[in-house]
């Protein structure tokens, strides 16, 4: 307990005495209603203000001291307020220049910051009351307006039965994190796992039904905000490949020939070409050349999907005369 604050220069003892004499003449005090502290607004926001008001408003108090802690030591005293007719706000060592008193025993804080979050205690002196010194502590939480979160994916094209990890990047002070697929809220199941306070969503044994767009939605009592949709597709193939035109190709020497490798694959595969088993420099899905005696033989294309790890190949024979 800190020392009882004195009205500066006031005849303290005289008031106390007078009050106790007066008090004894009054009717027996009615059953005391418990005093609580009401926050207005209930969810204060960074940059805004808040009022902490004892309810019901105390009657007959001679001073109210507010402390920025659960205890009433002088170092954490914000202010002491002495009511009319000569209202005085005496600032304490924890006063930041943003706190004002009143009406009643209320404490008003302007220009709120996140670190104003904490416990506040008011000590009310009512010499006439059954409890002449009343201490009430209240927890203040200052909220921030949550910015739009972002989603990070460890891959956007996921192979069948693969594992997709999505992370919602948001303030550590977001109270709730929910996930949506194609605009509908997801609920966890054996294949959908939430971790790190819902900030990570893991999709196991990925299938067609897991494709589409993913969003996360973050919330606190002040606002909710949603990420932009991130698209996830299924990676598949190639199961097979073929070369167009199909062989055997029989052309006169000097003719121009285009070979095209066709493979169904997401993402698009990388291609390799071989002539009689020797790797060629070409890496496109097709290539064109003029037939000479030096480039006849067996052409092979290989289509490789780096995500599924699947490779398919096809061969065609090119003859000439
Ligand atoms: C106490 O703080 C308030 C708000 O910053 C200010 O207006 C007032 O002048 C201060 N009072 C004293 C006595 O310094
Ligand atoms: C709260 O944070 C502000 C800056 O954001 C800083 O100036 C102030 O000293 C901090 N107050 C406390 C009590 O830590
Ligand atoms: C406020 O008090 C509660 C218990 O009453 C405690 O758990 C909490 O840590 C305190 N908050 C701060 C910021 O000191
Ligand atoms: C979401 O956050 C953006 C800034 O990132 C902000 O401009 C917008 O107002 C917020 N939306 C809501 C509904 O709070
Ligand atoms: C994925 O798993 C299912 C069931 O275990 C299996 O039938 C299917 O062949 C698998 N698909 C791939 C591409 O591994
Ligand atoms: C994505 O993360 C999962 C699990 O953390 C892992 O199994 C998978 O290999 C990762 N994929 C990529 C492309 O890193
Ligand atoms: C986590 O997600 C589950 C399922 O969507 C939801 O019920 C729960 O409220 C969320 N929890 C938090 C802290 O966001
Ligand atoms: C995922 O697939 C593997 C192999 O197909 C299977 O053993 C496992 O039970 C599946 N997991 C879930 C959560 O379906
Ligand atoms: C989500 O949308 C994608 C693309 O339209 C679709 O392939 C997928 O099946 C949808 N998933 C669900 C669960 O609705
Ligand atoms: C290629 O075509 C020529 C004439 O069109 C024919 O004489 C020759 O037998 C053919 N060669 C093969 C291997 O089909
Ligand atoms: C490829 O092999 C065939 C048959 O053995 C041969 O006729 C052809 O000349 C070879 N082509 C090259 C470029 O070595």
């Amino acid at each position: 307990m800190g020392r009882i604050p004195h009205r500066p220069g006031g005849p303290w003892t005289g008031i106390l005495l007078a009050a106790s004499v007066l008090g004894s003449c009054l009717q027996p005090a009615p059953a005391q209603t418990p005093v609580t502290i009401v926050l207005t607004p209930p969810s204060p926001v960074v940059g805004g203000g808040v009022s902490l008001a004892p309810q019901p408003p105390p009657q007959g108090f001679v001073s109210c001291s507010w402390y920025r802690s659960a205890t009433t030591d002088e170092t954490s005293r914000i202010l002491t307020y002495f009511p009319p007719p000569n209202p005085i706000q005496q600032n304490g060592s924890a006063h930041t220049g943003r706190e004002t008193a009143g009406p009643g025993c209320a404490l008003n804080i302007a220009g709120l910051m996140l670190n104003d979050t904490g416990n506040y205690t008011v000590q009310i002196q009512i010499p006439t009351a059954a409890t002449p010194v009343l201490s009430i502590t209240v927890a203040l939480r200052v909220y921030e307006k949550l910015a739009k979160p972002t989603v990070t994916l460890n891959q956007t094209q996921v192979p069948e039965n693969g594992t997709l990890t999505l992370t919602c990047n948001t303030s550590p002070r977001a109270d709730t994190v929910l996930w949506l697929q194609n605009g509908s809220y997801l609920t966890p199941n054996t294949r959908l796992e939430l971790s790190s306070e819902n900030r990570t969503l893991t999709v196991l044994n990925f299938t067609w039904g897991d494709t589409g767009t993913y969003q996360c939605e973050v919330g606190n009592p002040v606002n909710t905000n949603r990420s932009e949709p991130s698209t996830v597709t299924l990676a598949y193939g190639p199961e097979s490949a073929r070369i167009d035109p199909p062989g055997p190709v029989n052309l006169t020497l000097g003719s121009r020939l285009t070979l095209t490798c066709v493979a169904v694959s997401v993402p698009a595969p990388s291609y390799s070409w071989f002539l009689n088993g020797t790797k060629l420099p070409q890496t496109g899905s097709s290539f064109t050349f003029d037939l000479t005696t030096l480039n006849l033989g067996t052409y092979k294309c290989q289509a490789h999907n780096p995500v599924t790890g699947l490779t398919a190949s096809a061969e065609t024979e090119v003859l000439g005369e």
Side-chain angles (χ1 to χ4, degrees):
M1 279 281 177
R3 66 185 178 87
I4 306 281
H6 288 226
R7 176 182 279 274
W12 184 249
T13 328
I15 291 174
L16 255 185
L17 264 175
S20 64
V21 170
L22 215 70
S24 59
C25 304
L26 293 172
Q27 298 298 314
Q32 248 178 337
T33 335
V35 179
T36 56
I37 308 236
V38 174
L39 301 186
T40 312
S43 303
V45 191
V46 168
V50 68
S51 153
L52 289 68
Q55 290 293 343
Q59 301 297 316
F61 66 90
V62 297
S63 74
C64 299
S65 295
W66 279 95
Y67 301 85
R68 200 189 192 88
S69 88
T71 59
T72 58
D73 47 289
E74 185 54 24
T75 55
S76 60
R77 188 168 65 89
I78 302 169
L79 57 79
T80 299
Y81 174 67
F82 302 94
N86 301 307
I88 296 174
Q89 172 178 331
Q90 191 188 74
N91 299 332
S93 47
H95 192 270
T96 71
R98 297 176 291 125
E99 299 89 350
T100 53
C105 270
L107 172 70
N108 306 298
I109 310 175
L112 285 170
M113 302 183 230
L114 281 176
N115 61 8
D116 287 326
T117 293
N119 293 315
Y120 289 74
T121 301
V122 63
Q123 195 179 67
I124 309 172
Q125 287 182 56
I126 313 174
T128 55
T131 317
V133 179
L134 197 60
S135 282
I136 312 149
T137 298
V138 66
L140 172 68
R141 187 170 159 203
V142 178
Y143 293 91
E144 66 192 297
K145 186 172 181 235
L146 296 169
K148 191 189 275 292
T150 60
V151 170
T152 325
L153 309 154
N154 80 338
Q155 51 192 342
T156 55
Q157 293 166 317
V158 188
E160 190 177 5
N161 298 333
T163 303
L164 169 67
T165 302
L166 304 106
T167 306
C168 185
N169 308 298
T170 184
S171 162
R173 287 168 298 275
D175 287 350
T176 58
V177 177
L178 300 174
W179 288 91
L180 302 96
Q181 184 200 5
N182 292 358
S184 303
Y185 290 103
L186 287 173
T187 45
N189 60 38
T190 51
R191 289 195 313 108
L192 295 180
E193 291 177 353
L194 292 169
S195 56
S196 310
E197 295 174 307
N198 289 4
R199 279 160 174 74
T200 302
L201 170 68
T202 306
V203 183
L204 301 166
N205 292 15
F206 197 87
T207 78
W208 267 114
D210 298 320
T211 62
T213 60
Y214 285 83
Q215 285 165 286
C216 71
E217 183 185 281
V218 299
N220 70 11
V222 173
N223 74 329
T224 62
N225 218 331
R226 244 184 223 190
S227 69
E228 292 298 326
S230 299
T231 301
V232 179
T233 56
L234 183 72
Y236 58 89
E239 297 297 330
S240 63
R242 65 184 167 82
I243 293 178
D244 253 359
V249 177
N250 185 4
L251 291 174
T252 51
L253 292 176
S255 308
R256 177 154 288 192
L257 175 63
T258 297
L259 295 179
T260 303
C261 189
V262 181
V264 178
S265 165
V266 172
S270 61
Y271 298 94
S272 308
W273 289 92
F274 301 86
L275 172 54
N276 286 359
T278 301
K279 197 171 191 300
L280 298 173
Q282 281 76 14
T283 56
S285 62
S286 64
F287 77 104
T288 300
F289 55 98
D290 295 322
L291 280 190
T292 70
T293 50
L294 297 176
N295 55 23
L296 303 177
T298 303
Y299 281 83
K300 176 174 150 182
C301 89
Q302 218 171 51
H304 174 70
N305 181 331
V307 176
T308 60
L310 296 178
T311 304
S313 58
E315 285 184 3
T316 197
E317 213 169 323
V318 176
L319 313 164
E321 56 184 59

